[in-house]
Amino acid sequence: MTASLRPRPAPGLGAAAIGPEEEALVLDVLRRRELFRYYGNDPQRPPPMAATLEQEAAALLGMDYVLAVTSGTAALEVVLGAAGIGPGDEVIVPAWSWISCFTAVVRSGARPVLAEVDASLCLDPAEIARLKTPRTKAVLVVHYQGAAADMEPIVFAAHRRGLFVIEDCAEAPGATYRGRRVGTWGDAAIFSFQHNKPMTAGEGGLIATRDLRLYERAVRLHDLGQYRAHHAAVTPAREPAFAGGQYRMSELTAAVALAQLRKLDAIRDHCRDLKARITARLARLPGLTLRPLADDAGDFGFEIYFYARTPEAAAAFRTKLDARHVWCQQRTGTYPQYRREYVQTGLTANRALSPFREMSPWPAPGYRAEDFPRTEDLTARFVALPLGWRYTAEDADHIAASVEAVHAELYPGEQLKP
């Protein structure tokens, strides 16, 4: 049977869209022989790629300040440091999130406090009131796999308690919430250009904020404490110098990232069209529940989620869909933090730096699977259907027809919803 099946479509988002635009900008950097962003052959004319990337990203987002860094993880670490978050502090983090969301907080010296997600697989806004303590300084919101978290109640709950809001937009650049792009609702936002992201340069990241002081501190943190002429032209230095790290983006990375940023909305609109074509049919299937979103119209659309009635039914769907050459996964690079080894050990490179070192026994309450019944239930029952830049309308129709066929096998005789 498999020999006659439709071939699997080529996966990928930004990586699948790489073409002559990226090549032209990279060749421009190479031909000028200027790979470092702050100076090259002419001291009076710094290389343009990273600066242009920052300017165009700021214009796209409608934000005052954007800073290019080496990765989305670096962006998280720099934002946390720039916000003054460190030892003794706590940061609320969704339990269902990428590694960096946890480890960046740990590396700042603060303690990540894990929160339940809701059925959107984003942070449940009610968790802020439940988890806030006198030590809580920030809330890290992850816009999971292309879809915005429910930002209005999240920002309201955080700001009324004096908490700093960081938006992790690594998986959802281009997504919107109530007509505004994600990354523009909180106090600072981060973006990623890692290979699997909607826009990619292999690695790389952006920080966006309207906060002048945060911007200057982020610049210093990412460049060994320095504040060079380019940034002084954006806004004059006001902060005293302090020791920083080294997270500067190269001109080669910036060249690819700039070309990808310019393609972002086209990739998004293509995925949205494919998603709409599929979900109109999946919504009629009894026993399946599409992932409810805070703003369905604002979804990037590169991954469709539906919940089955049981984990066993979800596993059966994945097995049967895979046999029909439909890409589908239970895990898409994201895992419950409490199931990761770096959480289960509670260790850092130097034991004295662990924010968990005085919590005994370990894992302590709040870091065990039994503490997150909703996250456990939701993440055991979903099926993820990725879409991509090279997917066609015919591919979308094949995905929808395959889900319908598998549903008929697993739930024979159930009537379609009107």
Side-chain angles (χ1 to χ4, degrees), residues 93-97 115-127 140-151 154 168 171-172 182 291-295 299 307 374-375 378-379:
V93 177
W96 177 257
S97 50
E116 290 264 40
V117 296
D118 59 24
S120 74
L121 298 174
C122 297
L123 176 71
D124 180 349
E127 288 287 84
L140 176 55
V141 183
V142 178
H143 299 298
Y144 179 66
Q145 291 296 87
D150 200 358
M151 289 306 297
I154 287 173
D168 183 336
E171 300 170 347
V182 298
R291 173 191 178 193
L293 303 180
D295 186 340
D299 183 22
Y307 294 104
R374 191 190 323 157
T375 298
L378 291 169
T379 59

Side-chain angles (χ1 to χ4, degrees), residues 350-406:
N350 183 312
R351 288 175 180 267
L353 297 177
S354 172
F356 313 111
R357 63 188 179 278
E358 296 179 358
M359 301 177 71
S360 181
W362 186 263
Y367 299 92
R368 309 165 304 179
E370 60 263 34
D371 301 320
F372 301 92
R374 191 190 323 157
T375 298
E376 282 288 287
D377 172 61
L378 291 169
T379 59
R381 290 192 295 110
F382 76 64
V383 176
L385 303 171
L387 302 173
W389 176 243
R390 295 188 182 180
Y391 279 50
T392 65
E394 290 75 19
D395 292 323
D397 291 342
H398 174 67
I399 292 170
S402 296
V403 176
E404 290 169 340
V406 171

Side-chain angles (χ1 to χ4, degrees), residues 38 75 82 88 96 131 136 156 160 164 204 329-330 341:
Y38 289 115
W96 177 257
L131 296 172
T136 310
F156 179 77
R160 71 186 295 233
F164 189 81
Q329 305 172 56
Q330 183 188 20
E341 288 185 347

Side-chain angles (χ1 to χ4, degrees), residues 251-273:
E251 286 289 280
L252 281 172
T253 298
V256 180
L258 177 59
Q260 288 270 296
L261 181 76
R262 292 169 175 173
K263 297 177 178 181
L264 177 64
D265 286 359
I267 297 172
R268 178 199 64 195
D269 293 346
H270 178 66
C271 289
R272 283 179 174 176
D273 289 343

